[in-house]
Amino acid sequence: MNVTDIFIRRPVLATVVSLLIVLLGVRSFQLLNVREYPETTNAVVTVSTAYPGADAELIKGFITAPLEEAIATADGIDYLESTSVQGTSQIQAHIELNYDPYKALTQISSKVDQVRSELPEASEEPTLNVEVGETTATMYINFHSEELETNQVTDYLNRVVQPELNTVLGVQEAELLGGRPFALRAWLKPDRMAAVGVSPADVRRVLEANNHLAGVGRTKGSMVSVRLKSETSIHSVEAFEDLVVKRTDAGTIRLSDVADVELGAETYENQVVFKGTPGTFIGIQVTPTANPLDVVPRVRETLAELEPQYPATLEHTVVYDATDFIEESITQVQKTLLEAFLIVVVVIFLFLGSLRAVAIPVVAVPLSLVGAGFLMLAFGYSVNILTLLAMVLAIGLVVDDAIIVVENVHRHIENGERPYDAAIYGARELAGPIVAMTLTLVAVFAPIGFMGGVTGTLFSEFAYSLAGAVVISGIVALTLSPMMASRMLKSDEESGSRLAAFLDQAFDKLRWAYERLLHRTLNYTPVWVVFAVAVLGSVFFLYTGAQNELAPDEDQGSLFVMSTGAPDATLDQTRMWTDMYNPIFESFEETAVYFNANGISPGGPPAPNSAFSIMRLKPWSERERTVMDLKQELQGKLGSVPGLDPAVFLPPALPGSGGGLPVQFVIGTTDDPAVLNEVSQELKKAAEESGLFAFVDTDLKYDLPQARIQVDRDKVADLGLTMQEVGNEVASMLGGAYVNRFSIQGRSYKVIPQVQRVDRLNPEQLESYHIEAPDGSMIPLSTVVSLEREVQPEQLNRFNQLNSATVSAAPMPGVTMGQALEFLESKADEIFPRGYSIDYAGQSRNYVEEGAQLVTTFFLALALIFLMLAALYESWRDPLVMLVSVPMSVAGALIFLFLGLATVNIYTQIGLVTLIGLISKHGILIVQFANQLQEEGYSKRRAIEDAAGIRLRPVLMTAAAMVFAALPLVLSSGAGAESRYALGLVITTGLSIGTLFTLFVVPTMYMVLGKEHGRGEAEEPAS
């Protein structure tokens, strides 16, 4: 007795199995996490070391190089990037995907500690920070006050708001942007200091000696212990002003006599401006394991609770919320899911013409989708855009098995059998094919789980969720569907359905016409074999001729702008130019809000000549144009601002792609940076002339004016001074390094002496500064130093411990990542001298690493299906016939990619892999039935002709169900439409064309390769 017989004879058992699937699935969906994409752990550990006043070359040689060498020996590092600029060394260790970031942080911290003693004494302690997840915050909140200064707002945020936000469940970090922490600034007056005989070293010594922290302990008597507190530190501006710097015969000189002392800010090198008004931002970074859709409401709730406590004029505004895109994307996919379901119901009805017959596959759809939730929970998956996309495709897939059962049982009923007997025999005939088709689809997606990188991490959930739904549909098709068919199906005469009778007659006519055409086709078998070989050969040329990219650009509702000004530009100059952006942003009717972060360079150290801007658009339903439509127009308008070089780009479409511009082409060498600069500039020039890029830049530029202070060693020695004393005096006046800290209301702040700005407007003013000689006299600095003008790089970069220059670019509209990188690679071959290497960062690195993986996965999936079918059918020939339509289907899809309707990207490649399973089902149905007919005594040719004719209706029905289920993906709009379109286009076109080829090529190849199964013939060994 066949297993399907049990469930037909025991309807309660079949119903119980289905109800268990429903109960487990519903509960599982209630427990599943909801997020944008599957969980990935991509992390960057940043090691920052400040050496105030030091030039980039000193930073690179004495701080960056030794730290890099030590950090590189830590485990789990994918690649290292470093930047050395004046006053700061920044090293970024990009951690391998899904490697434990905190394990890597521990190792890197240990490596840094090992070389700390080798760093210059005047440098500050290296600070380590780990960013897990996306480098762009999930949410930006602006805080602004009409009365409070920025440093006062910053202090309030540091004391009250930031600590509360950091404790919100799921928040990794609440980071301040554009903040200006309090600092005691002693603005030195060089002229006054020279007049009273006070040197910068005197001021520094006084601050160090008189603002001292001391832990004095306690007294302890025989019965009583008293704790002691020393008042050796300073807690107010007035106390600093009263410090005695020097006593002379003329009187006492206090700090207020030689400096303006104020409670200022630690830095004045960055500023955030929201819609033209300065503010202070807090960026919310969400932990990789948390759901942003849960975290952001918690943050908003916390802010609402804190708002009544704000100072009177302080207010906040949410200026950027990435969950808007996430929610809209998920809503659109859910809408597509419903549309696909309704379309499939209509398609099935139009093929069967009976509501009774339609009910059976329709019931299978929700059962399969809900049941997949249990498997998703068991595997630790989440409800996200990709698993929802899998459910959309599953709608067209999971009805296939039920449709086949209904059609086969209906055929037996029309042949005169009772519904019960028809269900018994029909289910028995299809048990094998259903198992084969289910296993085939599971085998298709199995290789995706073996992939590494972003593709494997993201699409494993897509693939296995879809496979899980197919497995459940197979179970339903072998249990519930035959039982329902035995009780619900009737012959056309009994049901009295005119539509069903009409459709049966129509399909009978179509079958007869098809069989006649097929009969004539099989008379020209060599022609079809040559045609099949030609199509197979075309796949390579179609694939290589299509444009390539990692993922299609997505309309995420925001446009990002990175801007660079003159290398010697101050923050004031940068602000002046970015203020000219504001009317440009407002000129677009699609604009909702915008802001400029001046002096901030995402992914790199702060630079006063850099700016980062975001133009947030209105919701998708309130605008007609997409970000892709606006990007080039915005680029052109911003390019008219004279003082900045802007690059407009979109946020990365996939998580783990890194920040910055889409194209990041890294040149590495051991050559001197000056030589490397010539090479990188030549490549940049070629890229600009190519017309492929809207913006091209390189991070190595020899355009920064610098004044070199030449010290006359002989004169220094003659005056009884040392180079150390001269260097320290100049650094104390200009460096801006902090001396120590003081406290106000339980928090400590830096004490920073520095010459006031009016006395350091240009390098020539240094010559009027005075230093103290050993005899106490004040000597003009011009006595021992002279200035030489030169041009130096803005920053010195290294990549994996090689001197590097990164050519960053934003491609023109219509130019893909593959085209851009292919051009740069070809030019590099022409331009680069011997010993130069190329590498990639950011999105470009992901594209290069992921590109070949899916091609390998495609062939691995094909091999697995072949082996599984060979095992099931004990033949090497039959699987070849069953799978011959795969290249036909793939070629059909690639034609549209070749014509430019989409690109070869991560979504279309996944679609091509999915096509293997979809199209092979047709071959399995036809070949398996043809083999059965041969065993009943049919000749090989008659068997394949009859099998193809009999299976025509279920083949067309299952193909139409899948094609029309995927059609809403092709026609979708709104958030995330681009990725849905790419996947849907491949499925609809590939399956449509592949099905057409299947109906003729599979029978032809069966005649050529098919095994003889006729009765009375000698048993053939598996061949």
Side-chain angles (χ1 to χ4, degrees), residues 501-525:
F502 170 76
L503 290 173
D504 284 344
Q505 292 175 4
F507 275 107
D508 285 341
K509 291 178 181 179
L510 179 63
R511 172 188 167 184
W512 294 331
Y514 165 65
E515 287 181 350
R516 287 196 300 271
L517 181 60
L518 179 62
H519 183 78
R520 290 196 296 269
T521 299
L522 293 180
N523 293 331
Y524 301 96
T525 298

Short mmCIF file of all heavy atoms in Angstrom, two decimals, residues 501-525:
data_model
loop_
_atom_site.label_atom_id
_atom_site.label_comp_id
_atom_site.label_asym_id
_atom_site.label_seq_id
_atom_site.Cartn_x
_atom_site.Cartn_y
_atom_site.Cartn_z
N ALA A 501 -16.11 22.33 -18.26
CA ALA A 501 -16.25 21.54 -19.48
C ALA A 501 -15.63 22.26 -20.67
O ALA A 501 -14.95 21.65 -21.51
CB ALA A 501 -17.73 21.25 -19.74
N PHE A 502 -15.87 23.57 -20.74
CA PHE A 502 -15.28 24.36 -21.83
C PHE A 502 -13.75 24.32 -21.78
O PHE A 502 -13.09 24.14 -22.82
CB PHE A 502 -15.78 25.80 -21.74
CG PHE A 502 -15.04 26.74 -22.66
CD1 PHE A 502 -15.32 26.75 -24.03
CD2 PHE A 502 -14.08 27.60 -22.16
CE1 PHE A 502 -14.64 27.61 -24.87
CE2 PHE A 502 -13.40 28.45 -23.01
CZ PHE A 502 -13.68 28.47 -24.37
N LEU A 503 -13.21 24.48 -20.58
CA LEU A 503 -11.75 24.46 -20.45
C LEU A 503 -11.18 23.09 -20.79
O LEU A 503 -10.11 22.99 -21.41
CB LEU A 503 -11.35 24.87 -19.02
CG LEU A 503 -11.57 26.34 -18.66
CD1 LEU A 503 -11.30 26.57 -17.19
CD2 LEU A 503 -10.66 27.24 -19.51
N ASP A 504 -11.87 22.06 -20.36
CA ASP A 504 -11.40 20.71 -20.70
C ASP A 504 -11.35 20.52 -22.21
O ASP A 504 -10.38 19.97 -22.75
CB ASP A 504 -12.30 19.66 -20.07
CG ASP A 504 -12.06 19.51 -18.58
OD1 ASP A 504 -10.99 19.99 -18.11
OD2 ASP A 504 -12.91 18.92 -17.89
N GLN A 505 -12.40 20.98 -22.90
CA GLN A 505 -12.43 20.86 -24.35
C GLN A 505 -11.31 21.69 -24.99
O GLN A 505 -10.66 21.25 -25.94
CB GLN A 505 -13.79 21.31 -24.88
CG GLN A 505 -14.94 20.39 -24.51
CD GLN A 505 -16.28 20.94 -24.95
OE1 GLN A 505 -16.36 21.99 -25.61
NE2 GLN A 505 -17.36 20.24 -24.58
N ALA A 506 -11.10 22.90 -24.44
CA ALA A 506 -10.07 23.77 -24.99
C ALA A 506 -8.69 23.16 -24.82
O ALA A 506 -7.86 23.19 -25.75
CB ALA A 506 -10.13 25.15 -24.30
N PHE A 507 -8.46 22.60 -23.64
CA PHE A 507 -7.15 21.99 -23.41
C PHE A 507 -6.98 20.70 -24.19
O PHE A 507 -5.86 20.35 -24.59
CB PHE A 507 -6.93 21.76 -21.91
CG PHE A 507 -6.40 22.96 -21.19
CD1 PHE A 507 -7.22 23.69 -20.33
CD2 PHE A 507 -5.11 23.39 -21.38
CE1 PHE A 507 -6.75 24.80 -19.68
CE2 PHE A 507 -4.63 24.51 -20.72
CZ PHE A 507 -5.44 25.22 -19.87
N ASP A 508 -8.06 20.00 -24.42
CA ASP A 508 -7.98 18.81 -25.27
C ASP A 508 -7.55 19.20 -26.69
O ASP A 508 -6.71 18.54 -27.31
CB ASP A 508 -9.31 18.08 -25.30
CG ASP A 508 -9.58 17.31 -24.01
OD1 ASP A 508 -8.59 17.05 -23.28
OD2 ASP A 508 -10.75 16.98 -23.74
N LYS A 509 -8.16 20.27 -27.20
CA LYS A 509 -7.79 20.74 -28.54
C LYS A 509 -6.33 21.21 -28.57
O LYS A 509 -5.59 20.94 -29.52
CB LYS A 509 -8.71 21.88 -28.96
CG LYS A 509 -10.15 21.46 -29.23
CD LYS A 509 -11.01 22.67 -29.60
CE LYS A 509 -12.46 22.24 -29.84
NZ LYS A 509 -13.32 23.41 -30.18
N LEU A 510 -5.95 21.92 -27.50
CA LEU A 510 -4.56 22.39 -27.42
C LEU A 510 -3.61 21.22 -27.36
O LEU A 510 -2.55 21.22 -28.00
CB LEU A 510 -4.38 23.29 -26.18
CG LEU A 510 -2.97 23.84 -25.94
CD1 LEU A 510 -2.56 24.77 -27.10
CD2 LEU A 510 -2.91 24.60 -24.62
N ARG A 511 -4.00 20.18 -26.60
CA ARG A 511 -3.15 18.99 -26.48
C ARG A 511 -2.99 18.30 -27.84
O ARG A 511 -1.88 17.92 -28.23
CB ARG A 511 -3.74 18.04 -25.45
CG ARG A 511 -3.03 16.70 -25.39
CD ARG A 511 -3.76 15.72 -24.51
NE ARG A 511 -3.24 14.36 -24.70
CZ ARG A 511 -3.75 13.28 -24.11
NH1 ARG A 511 -4.79 13.42 -23.30
NH2 ARG A 511 -3.24 12.09 -24.35
N TRP A 512 -4.10 18.17 -28.57
CA TRP A 512 -4.03 17.49 -29.87
C TRP A 512 -3.15 18.29 -30.84
O TRP A 512 -2.35 17.73 -31.58
CB TRP A 512 -5.44 17.32 -30.46
CG TRP A 512 -6.29 16.40 -29.66
CD1 TRP A 512 -5.88 15.35 -28.89
CD2 TRP A 512 -7.73 16.45 -29.53
NE1 TRP A 512 -6.95 14.74 -28.27
CE2 TRP A 512 -8.11 15.39 -28.65
CE3 TRP A 512 -8.73 17.27 -30.06
CZ2 TRP A 512 -9.44 15.15 -28.30
CZ3 TRP A 512 -10.05 17.03 -29.72
CH2 TRP A 512 -10.40 15.98 -28.85
N ALA A 513 -3.33 19.60 -30.82
CA ALA A 513 -2.50 20.44 -31.70
C ALA A 513 -1.03 20.33 -31.33
O ALA A 513 -0.15 20.24 -32.20
CB ALA A 513 -2.97 21.89 -31.61
N TYR A 514 -0.78 20.34 -30.03
CA TYR A 514 0.61 20.23 -29.56
C TYR A 514 1.21 18.88 -29.93
O TYR A 514 2.36 18.80 -30.40
CB TYR A 514 0.65 20.44 -28.04
CG TYR A 514 1.96 20.01 -27.39
CD1 TYR A 514 3.16 20.66 -27.68
CD2 TYR A 514 1.98 18.93 -26.51
CE1 TYR A 514 4.35 20.26 -27.08
CE2 TYR A 514 3.16 18.51 -25.92
CZ TYR A 514 4.34 19.17 -26.21
OH TYR A 514 5.52 18.77 -25.63
N GLU A 515 0.44 17.80 -29.75
CA GLU A 515 0.96 16.47 -30.06
C GLU A 515 1.28 16.32 -31.55
O GLU A 515 2.28 15.70 -31.92
CB GLU A 515 -0.02 15.39 -29.61
CG GLU A 515 -0.07 15.21 -28.10
CD GLU A 515 -1.03 14.12 -27.68
OE1 GLU A 515 -1.80 13.63 -28.54
OE2 GLU A 515 -1.02 13.75 -26.49
N ARG A 516 0.41 16.91 -32.41
CA ARG A 516 0.70 16.85 -33.84
C ARG A 516 1.98 17.62 -34.18
O ARG A 516 2.81 17.16 -34.96
CB ARG A 516 -0.49 17.42 -34.63
CG ARG A 516 -1.72 16.50 -34.66
CD ARG A 516 -2.70 16.93 -35.75
NE ARG A 516 -3.17 18.30 -35.56
CZ ARG A 516 -4.25 18.62 -34.84
NH1 ARG A 516 -4.95 17.67 -34.23
NH2 ARG A 516 -4.63 19.87 -34.73
N LEU A 517 2.11 18.80 -33.57
CA LEU A 517 3.31 19.60 -33.81
C LEU A 517 4.55 18.90 -33.28
O LEU A 517 5.61 18.89 -33.93
CB LEU A 517 3.15 20.99 -33.15
CG LEU A 517 4.32 21.97 -33.33
CD1 LEU A 517 4.57 22.26 -34.81
CD2 LEU A 517 4.04 23.26 -32.57
N LEU A 518 4.42 18.29 -32.10
CA LEU A 518 5.54 17.57 -31.51
C LEU A 518 5.93 16.38 -32.38
O LEU A 518 7.13 16.09 -32.55
CB LEU A 518 5.17 17.10 -30.09
CG LEU A 518 6.25 16.29 -29.35
CD1 LEU A 518 7.52 17.11 -29.15
CD2 LEU A 518 5.72 15.81 -27.99
N HIS A 519 4.91 15.70 -32.92
CA HIS A 519 5.20 14.53 -33.77
C HIS A 519 6.05 14.94 -34.97
O HIS A 519 7.01 14.25 -35.34
CB HIS A 519 3.88 13.89 -34.23
CG HIS A 519 4.08 12.66 -35.04
ND1 HIS A 519 4.40 11.43 -34.48
CD2 HIS A 519 4.05 12.46 -36.40
CE1 HIS A 519 4.55 10.53 -35.44
NE2 HIS A 519 4.33 11.13 -36.61
N ARG A 520 5.66 16.08 -35.60
CA ARG A 520 6.44 16.54 -36.73
C ARG A 520 7.83 17.00 -36.29
O ARG A 520 8.82 16.80 -37.01
CB ARG A 520 5.71 17.69 -37.44
CG ARG A 520 4.45 17.24 -38.18
CD ARG A 520 3.99 18.31 -39.16
NE ARG A 520 3.60 19.55 -38.48
CZ ARG A 520 2.36 19.79 -38.07
NH1 ARG A 520 1.40 18.88 -38.24
NH2 ARG A 520 2.07 20.92 -37.49
N THR A 521 7.91 17.61 -35.11
CA THR A 521 9.20 18.10 -34.59
C THR A 521 10.18 16.96 -34.41
O THR A 521 11.37 17.09 -34.72
CB THR A 521 8.98 18.83 -33.24
OG1 THR A 521 8.12 19.95 -33.45
CG2 THR A 521 10.30 19.29 -32.66
N LEU A 522 9.68 15.83 -33.89
CA LEU A 522 10.57 14.71 -33.61
C LEU A 522 11.09 14.06 -34.90
O LEU A 522 12.01 13.23 -34.83
CB LEU A 522 9.84 13.66 -32.75
CG LEU A 522 9.50 14.12 -31.33
CD1 LEU A 522 8.78 13.02 -30.56
CD2 LEU A 522 10.75 14.54 -30.58
N ASN A 523 10.54 14.45 -36.04
CA ASN A 523 11.09 13.97 -37.31
C ASN A 523 12.37 14.71 -37.69
O ASN A 523 13.08 14.31 -38.60
CB ASN A 523 10.05 14.15 -38.44
CG ASN A 523 8.85 13.23 -38.27
OD1 ASN A 523 8.98 12.15 -37.69
ND2 ASN A 523 7.70 13.66 -38.74
N TYR A 524 12.62 15.81 -36.97
CA TYR A 524 13.83 16.62 -37.25
C TYR A 524 14.69 16.72 -35.99
O TYR A 524 15.14 17.79 -35.60
CB TYR A 524 13.42 18.02 -37.71
CG TYR A 524 12.56 18.01 -38.96
CD1 TYR A 524 11.17 18.07 -38.85
CD2 TYR A 524 13.13 17.92 -40.22
CE1 TYR A 524 10.37 18.05 -39.98
CE2 TYR A 524 12.33 17.90 -41.36
CZ TYR A 524 10.96 17.96 -41.23
OH TYR A 524 10.18 17.94 -42.34
N THR A 525 14.91 15.60 -35.37
CA THR A 525 15.67 15.56 -34.12
C THR A 525 17.04 16.21 -34.23
O THR A 525 17.44 16.99 -33.34
CB THR A 525 15.81 14.10 -33.65
OG1 THR A 525 14.51 13.57 -33.40
CG2 THR A 525 16.64 14.02 -32.38
#
